[in-house]
Amino acid sequence: MFYKAIFATFLSLFLCHQALASEFKDRVFKAGHPSLQDWVLPEKPEAPSDNLASPERIELGKALFFDPRLSGDGNMSCASCHNPSLGWSDGLPTAKGFKSKVLGRASPTVINTGYNSIQMWDGRKKTLEDQAIGPLESHEEMNTDFSAALASIRGSSEYQKLFAKAYPGEEIDKTTIAKAIANFERTVISRNSRFDRWIQGDKKALTKEEIRGFKLFSNPEKGNCEVCHSAPNFTDNGFHNIGLASFADENPDLGRYAERPLGLMKGAFKTPTIRDITLTAPYFHDGSAETLDDVVDHYVKSGEVKTNLSPNLKELKLSEKEQKAIVAFMKSLTSDSDPVTLPQLPRI
Amino acid sequence: MRQLILGFSLVAFSYSVSAAEHTVGQKNKEFTESSLTIKVGDTVHFRNDDSFFHNVFSLSDAKFFDLGSFPQGESKSVVFDQAGEIEVECAIHPTMKMKITVE
Ligand SMILES: [Cu+2]
């Protein structure tokens, strides 16, 4: 019994200790402090065991990602909407698809999606492999004629070589196309911002205002942002209705409700990462916020539309100076990434 | 932890009695149990130990329920009246999942 009690005490100490890192009251806002290390992203996103990374797979995936010839009209690639020059998004309020048709939702960035456990605004895809064929097949997006696209890839000796090196012994088909694209996407990473350097101990990496902004961002009694934009990728991979004005439209986008028909999920969308957030305006799934100041204004009002609002949104008491500090903090989350080189596409 | 021990002793205690009570916590965006085996007629209390809201639901055939959302310290209970495998999730945080086997 005595030993059991000691064991239980140890176990609870251990469990409490694990819990420490993620709770505001236990965080110490000093550069490199151990209580902040849950913000460090792994060097690379984890790959599924049947699709581990290799330079050949990444090279092939990059070619496919940038190849407009896969699309029905031969003019649209993944990069049309996930454009590296625009933070791997498109700068539009909501995407423009096949023949420039305006679509219902904004193009999310591809940056750091490899770190997330669920994909799409409504979470209808789990992995990047599951996701990659969707936009090709969609009549509203790339409108690919797959038999024609596969025929031209299979007929290209240069593509044949790339596939043989990347996936020896596997077919050239939708599965290997999806695997290669996913492998490439897992190299689109942001983990070297001034914020990251500060977390790792570089005292000069953040200004005083940005550090104040970080505290406010984390503090449940102040900005209360971290409850959803949580470590390490500033997302809980969860779904929340944050009260956008568009939820009052006649036929509003119900978001996650389409996948999980529970009252709470009506108008709930996935929490996006806010790494590299300065590169991807306008914001929200409907593109309704033009600037980060607009975003913070939205939260200060705790939403425009109050029906079915997430219970995790609170009334915020933030002075103007505090709101500015949160915006300043978000601006420190952009990495100085290496320039993106475009692939010379295989002849087909 | 104490609750957990309490939960266990409750389970042990009421083993001989007809219907048992079990407690499953929600802590650090996880259920405190990844799986639980219970008997038909048993009650499970789902308790939120985090400082923000969680949900509990299941769309399983053997038990279909949605407990809405509730804050820290509150719990809601479900009586499992039919045998089967039941996937329990939090709709807000889909990484929160557990399985209840009702025998
Ligand atoms: Cu939850």
Side-chain angles (χ1 to χ4, degrees):
Chain A
M1 199 57 215
F2 176 64
Y3 284 111
K4 258 193 198 156
I6 294 201
F7 176 68
T9 319
F10 261 109
L11 190 65
S12 55
L13 274 177
F14 171 69
L15 290 174
C16 289
H17 194 75
Q18 285 225 309
L20 285 185
S22 55
E23 278 189 46
F24 176 71
K25 62 177 170 42
D26 303 308
R27 288 203 189 279
V28 177
F29 290 83
K30 287 203 174 127
H33 195 274
S35 68
L36 301 174
Q37 297 310 304
D38 55 331
W39 285 105
V40 178
L41 277 171
E43 200 174 322
K44 287 178 185 159
E46 216 178 305
S49 57
D50 67 346
N51 193 24
L52 297 177
S54 73
E56 294 78 15
R57 291 174 175 183
I58 293 164
E59 187 193 352
L60 171 62
K62 188 174 191 177
L64 293 164
F65 190 94
F66 284 97
D67 196 336
R69 298 165 302 179
L70 303 180
S71 67
D73 275 356
N75 63 352
M76 179 179 272
S77 70
C78 308
S80 305
C81 302
H82 303 287
N83 182 340
S85 307
L86 294 166
W88 300 86
S89 180
D90 55 14
L92 296 167
T94 62
K96 287 189 181 167
F98 185 58
K99 309 238 188 269
S100 268
K101 182 180 173 201
V102 177
L103 306 182
R105 294 179 184 166
S107 306
T109 181
V110 167
I111 295 166
N112 286 4
T113 47
Y115 290 109
N116 297 343
S117 59
I118 195 160
Q119 305 295 332
M120 312 305 271
W121 284 110
D122 55 12
R124 65 184 183 275
K125 302 285 182 188
K126 196 131 181 68
T127 65
L128 292 175
E129 280 82 354
D130 296 340
Q131 196 279 335
I133 296 300
L136 286 157
E137 280 182 332
S138 163
H139 298 304
E140 301 218 292
E141 296 185 18
M142 295 168 73
N143 197 32
T144 298
D145 173 349
F146 250 102
S147 52
L150 282 173
S152 59
I153 296 177
R154 286 176 183 144
S156 150
S157 62
E158 290 182 25
Y159 257 128
Q160 280 170 20
K161 265 192 216 132
L162 289 176
F163 272 92
K165 279 196 281 174
Y167 294 101
E170 292 182 55
E171 294 273 314
I172 297 180
D173 58 12
K174 286 185 194 174
T175 307
T176 40
I177 289 175
K179 282 164 109 176
I181 290 177
N183 242 312
F184 168 65
E185 288 173 310
R186 281 192 285 270
T187 66
V188 181
I189 286 175
S190 166
R191 60 186 294 280
N192 182 33
S193 64
R194 289 191 292 110
F195 166 76
D196 293 292
R197 295 201 289 271
W198 186 81
I199 289 289
Q200 285 163 45
D202 176 355
K203 289 196 187 99
K204 296 212 182 83
L206 291 187
T207 65
K208 288 214 172 75
E209 186 190 30
E210 288 161 348
I211 297 168
R212 261 193 296 120
F214 181 28
K215 261 194 223 173
L216 294 162
F217 183 92
S218 290
N219 188 344
E221 307 303 326
K222 280 299 195 172
N224 186 42
C225 316
E226 189 186 327
V227 67
C228 302
H229 296 281
S230 46
N233 196 28
F234 290 89
T235 173
D236 56 358
N237 288 292
F239 297 87
H240 316 269
N241 181 329
I242 62 161
L244 298 181
S246 60
F247 190 55
D249 289 354
E250 203 170 325
N251 280 310
D253 186 341
L254 295 181
R256 181 65 172 165
Y257 186 76
E259 299 298 307
R260 294 285 182 278
L262 307 160
L264 193 59
M265 292 293 104
K266 276 194 185 148
F269 291 82
K270 189 183 65 183
T271 312
T273 183
I274 55 168
R275 286 175 180 274
D276 280 10
I277 194 69
T278 55
L279 308 179
T280 57
Y283 304 110
F284 297 139
H285 79 270
D286 59 0
S288 57
E290 272 174 41
T291 64
L292 291 174
D293 293 291
D294 295 345
V295 169
V296 173
D297 280 347
H298 173 87
Y299 284 112
V300 168
K301 283 183 279 187
S302 69
E304 296 278 345
V305 175
K306 311 282 182 181
T307 30
N308 214 42
L309 203 60
S310 159
N312 286 321
L313 278 188
K314 291 185 184 167
E315 296 278 338
L316 304 184
K317 285 179 212 73
L318 294 175
S319 69
E320 211 136 287
K321 204 173 153 205
E322 289 172 328
Q323 296 178 36
K324 280 219 174 78
I326 292 180
V327 170
F329 167 64
M330 288 196 279
K331 290 182 176 168
S332 78
L333 300 176
T334 302
S335 291
D336 327 309
S337 28
D338 297 332
V340 178
T341 54
L342 296 181
Q344 189 66 51
L345 295 178
R347 272 168 298 185
I348 55 180
Chain B
M1 193 66 210
R2 189 189 298 152
Q3 297 287 347
L4 217 122
I5 291 175
L6 192 73
F8 275 129
S9 45
L10 271 175
V11 176
F13 178 70
S14 39
Y15 198 69
S16 50
V17 196
S18 54
E21 312 258 327
H22 311 261
T23 298
V24 173
Q26 296 177 294
K27 183 73 193 156
N28 297 328
K29 294 182 185 158
E30 281 177 20
F31 286 104
T32 52
E33 322 279 327
S34 58
S35 63
L36 186 68
T37 303
I38 62 172
K39 297 248 174 329
V40 172
D42 285 3
T43 301
V44 178
H45 303 280
F46 294 98
R47 192 192 53 232
N48 183 353
D49 295 330
D50 274 327
S51 56
F52 43 86
F53 284 78
H54 285 296
N55 156 268
V56 184
F57 80 96
S58 176
L59 305 177
S60 302
D61 292 336
K63 191 77 196 177
F64 194 96
F65 61 92
D66 175 9
L67 303 183
S69 59
F70 47 103
Q72 186 163 36
E74 279 187 24
S75 68
K76 294 200 179 184
S77 41
V78 179
V79 179
F80 290 86
D81 41 21
Q82 205 183 315
E85 292 262 298
I86 294 139
E87 297 273 353
V88 178
E89 292 172 56
C90 166
I92 304 173
H93 308 112
T95 44
M96 295 178 62
K97 271 188 187 151
M98 69 155 316
K99 198 194 287 170
I100 295 183
T101 309
V102 186
E103 298 181 327

